[in-house]
Amino acid sequence: MIRATRLGLNDLVSQHMAKLSTRMRVIEEQSVTGKRVNRPSDDPAIVSEVHRLYSSIEDQTVYVKNAESANSLLSQADETLAGVADLLIRAREIAVAMASETITAAERTSTAPEVQGLYDSLVQLSNTNIDGRYIFSGDGYQNAAFSAAGVYGGANTTPSTRISESQWAQNGFDGSQVFQGVIDTFAVLNTFVLDLQANNVPGIQNAIGDLDIAFDQNSFWRSTVGAEVNAVEDAVEIAEGMSSLLSTRLDQLINIDETETYLNLNDIRNTYESVLRVSATSNQTSLFELI
Amino acid sequence: MGRKGLSAATAGINVVSNNVANANTVGYSRRNLTTQNSDPIFQQGVLFGQGVDITGIVRAHDRYLGMQLVDAVGLQSRASTAEESLKLTEAYFNESETAGLVEVYGAYYDAFNQLSSDPSDISLRSHAVQTSERLATSVSRVADGLQDNINNFDDGFSAKFSQLNGLLSQIAKLNAAIGKRGDLQGNTELLDRRDQLVREVAALMGASAELDPSGQATIYIDGHAVVSGGEARTLSLITAAGVPPVLYLAADAGLIDVTSGVGGELGGILDARSYTQGYLNRLDDFAFTFANSMNAIHVGGFDNYGAAGGNLFVPPAAIAGAASTLSVDPLVSADPNLLAMAGAAGAAGDDTNLQNILTFESSASFTGALTGLQFLSSIVNDVGGDVAAVSADVEAQDALVEDYDAMRTSISGVDTDEEAVRLIEYQAAYRAAAKIVSATDEMLRVLTTLGG
């Protein structure tokens, strides 16, 4: 027969109350922090996954920042090349008009300053910069891309920024390729100016073909820039989506279900109070009271 | 016979009083009065009973359960001490905070990722240097914290050890007294005190005990007797900075290393120390590999001035201590332009070497063919797993000790209601014996009157 002594019963009560207190403290901590996992030992099985998730979420934040920063440079590059396209279209219109045999030498000479103006605009556009960062200077973006004479001053390597785990977006261009790769756009306009001044009709006729090549060259780079813009916009969308998914998963892993936690806490408090009442009642009865 | 009955009832009431008084005394075993009927005398061909004799006061005790409880107390004490101590270590790996090691390590690469958008930008460079310093500080802070814990464990071990020889000596003295008296049944007070001390020693160092038929206890540690009869052997502690404490037992053959057999609180401290030292060693391994790998990449690049790169981190002298001393090279700290992100001199946007740094993030260059993140994460994962395992052990050992203790209390504990019943019985017996004395007295008075 098991003898139930008062000391044994009291020990049992205090052991149960200590366990309930511990559980209550754990749930109270979870309620305060809003997290189910407050230290590695709370759920060691998920530690590695939580670390990967934290790291990946932070990575996505950086990728978004980098992609947005690249996007602003690329948008500026696209706008610049659109300006160059307009400039080349205007130059071609002038070339076609000035190639006509009905145009006099004086008229051709008087048109030269307009084309010189287009050349100056080209130099200005090719040196487009954001806060001193020259878009068409490649890696050497702290230096102006082109001199007034159309001499390239940048680097032949191009900068890029990381926009995903495995993707780098180009956020600067080698101006010598953009403006002088297939044909030297500066030289085309400069020669055109000289031909107008010299009333060199065959030269002006050649300029039409050269301007077409320069235009195609510009179009190619516009499409390249456009592709990069699309890539960074996609990267932003993907990184934001990933961040949201990863955050949801992290939330599922470490955060509490508030309703469940509240109900658990209530259950434990009720049990704790019941144990206290039972203990108090059992301690009130003693045979010695009746002797 | 009436006098004997009165004596027996009085003794019974004394035993009940003693039991009730000690109802809440830890380690007390309730006493029972044992009696037997006195030898009869043969008169006129008839055997006449001679009342009752008190044969002793015995304690309610289960020898086997007592030994089991000693073993269980040692295991429980070891597990709970290891858990409490290890939780102090776990506090340094609180990854729910933003300053967690893994979080800071991730932020380090995030800063270099951001720098890739403009490697020449001084504010991004400053940010990269700051996160490098933050990583170094975090690693160093955790390493220092772990080392502090190890030192505190060693101090705690020494403090607890200081009680040990005294306890063993007391047990030996009680053993001697129990043996000298030679009356096992009558040694209740000494046995209780000795058993309580044995449990205290078990809680302190996880000893096992054997009781011989004379009631003397032999205490073993690591298979060697530390108390045998009235003799206690001396345990000595050897401590030295940077190495775990070693316990030696003075034996006839010389000093015996019994450290591996130590359990209880001392064993728990040694367990926590061993775990913590393991984490610190791995953190040192991480810091050594990380700093040297980063430096190897960094010196291959070119800084913002076009000069060849120097060290990014102060090169650790050795693996041991690498975490504690991890720090960013003072020159780089003072001038972020010295970050060597370019692959060649001159171009501001050249991030060739920066890409090498970022590539290292996914390089399995750490022990176990792990990336830095995986390696750090594995340390934190193991800390959590070890604490959880020890906590589970504590729960199991608690349950075992609670069960044994409940069984011991069931056998040896005082039930006040039961004592109240026995009190009533002895009171009734006393009254009855007194009546017999009174009746006998009346009979004698009648006889005396007749004779007068």
Side-chain angles (χ1 to χ4, degrees), chain A:
Chain A
M1 184 189 77
I2 298 286
R3 295 172 63 253
T5 67
R6 197 166 300 282
L7 184 61
L9 286 173
N10 286 341
D11 281 350
L12 198 64
V13 167
S14 62
Q15 283 157 10
H16 280 299
M17 286 174 66
K19 284 175 188 167
L20 286 169
S21 292
T22 305
R23 283 178 58 196
M24 204 147 51
R25 190 174 49 75
V26 168
I27 296 180
E28 280 168 354
E29 184 188 28
Q30 290 177 344
S31 305
V32 170
T33 61
K35 289 178 179 171
R36 187 177 66 80
V37 180
N38 288 291
R39 54 189 64 75
S41 58
D42 287 341
D43 193 348
I46 65 164
V47 167
S48 296
E49 186 177 356
V50 167
H51 285 157
R52 277 198 305 275
L53 289 169
Y54 268 131
S55 175
S56 296
I57 290 168
E58 288 303 316
D59 285 350
Q60 304 312 316
T61 308
V62 173
Y63 295 151
V64 169
K65 274 187 194 169
N66 285 355
E68 284 174 348
S69 161
N71 200 12
S72 90
L73 287 165
L74 291 168
S75 299
Q76 190 59 53
D78 187 46
E79 206 174 301
T80 301
L81 294 179
V84 172
D86 292 343
L87 176 157
L88 290 173
I89 288 169
R90 177 62 193 143
R92 191 180 188 282
E93 284 170 359
I94 293 170
V96 170
M98 292 302 119
S100 168
E101 288 179 2
T102 58
I103 299 295
T104 64
E107 284 172 325
R108 289 192 178 101
T109 307
S110 66
T111 309
E114 187 186 350
V115 179
Q116 181 62 46
L118 294 175
Y119 176 90
D120 294 341
S121 295
L122 178 64
V123 172
Q124 198 177 345
L125 286 170
S126 67
N127 283 323
T128 298
N129 68 84
I130 295 179
D131 298 330
R133 177 174 174 149
Y134 291 88
I135 297 171
F136 297 103
S137 291
D139 275 339
Y141 51 66
Q142 285 178 325
N143 305 318
F146 289 96
S147 68
V151 176
Y152 185 56
N156 295 123
T157 50
T158 52
S160 57
T161 186
R162 197 175 194 179
I163 55 170
S164 78
E165 190 66 31
S166 57
Q167 206 181 355
W168 293 72
Q170 202 173 324
N171 58 355
F173 298 89
D174 174 2
S176 69
Q177 288 297 312
V178 176
F179 298 100
Q180 297 172 322
V182 178
I183 195 165
D184 185 345
T185 312
F186 295 97
V188 169
L189 283 178
N190 194 38
T191 306
F192 184 25
V193 170
L194 294 175
D195 286 339
L196 285 170
Q197 286 168 345
N199 193 30
N200 178 2
V201 176
I204 293 169
Q205 285 170 343
N206 281 342
I208 296 170
D210 289 346
L211 284 166
D212 284 342
I213 295 170
F215 186 85
D216 288 347
Q217 174 176 265
N218 190 62
S219 298
F220 168 79
W221 283 103
R222 280 192 75 186
S223 67
T224 302
V225 170
E228 289 293 328
V229 169
N230 289 339
V232 295
E233 284 175 352
D234 288 349
V236 168
E237 204 172 312
I238 290 167
E240 285 176 345
M242 280 295 290
S243 184
S244 169
L245 280 173
L246 295 168
S247 299
T248 305
R249 174 66 185 146
L250 188 62
D251 184 67
Q252 286 168 347
L253 280 177
I254 66 168
N255 289 346
I256 56 164
D257 177 331
E258 286 176 7
T259 311
E260 191 184 332
T261 306
Y262 175 76
L263 291 174
N264 282 343
L265 190 58
N266 248 9
D267 279 352
I268 291 173
R269 278 184 181 152
N270 289 338
T271 312
Y272 189 85
E273 282 167 17
S274 304
V275 172
L276 268 180
R277 283 201 193 98
V278 168
S279 166
T281 308
S282 72
N283 272 314
Q284 280 169 3
T285 57
S286 170
L287 187 54
F288 277 103
E289 305 277 338
L290 307 171
I291 295 174

Side-chain angles (χ1 to χ4, degrees), chain B residues 334-377:
Chain B
D335 184 3
N337 280 314
L338 293 179
L339 279 177
M341 301 293 98
D350 180 358
D351 61 357
T352 310
N353 209 36
L354 168 59
Q355 291 191 31
N356 292 335
I357 285 179
L358 293 178
T359 303
F360 185 77
E361 184 182 12
S362 53
S363 156
S365 301
F366 292 83
T367 302
L370 300 175
T371 65
L373 181 86
Q374 287 169 338
F375 190 84
L376 281 179
S377 187

Side-chain angles (χ1 to χ4, degrees), chain B residues 147-161 237-246 266 269-270 273-274 277:
Chain B
Q147 189 57 59
D148 282 349
N149 273 1
I150 290 169
N151 295 341
N152 290 337
F153 294 154
D154 289 349
D155 290 346
F157 192 95
S158 298
K160 289 197 181 295
F161 170 79
L237 174 66
I238 307 290
T239 56
V243 292
V246 183
L266 293 177
I269 291 173
L270 286 179
R273 189 194 193 285
S274 169
Q277 185 67 60

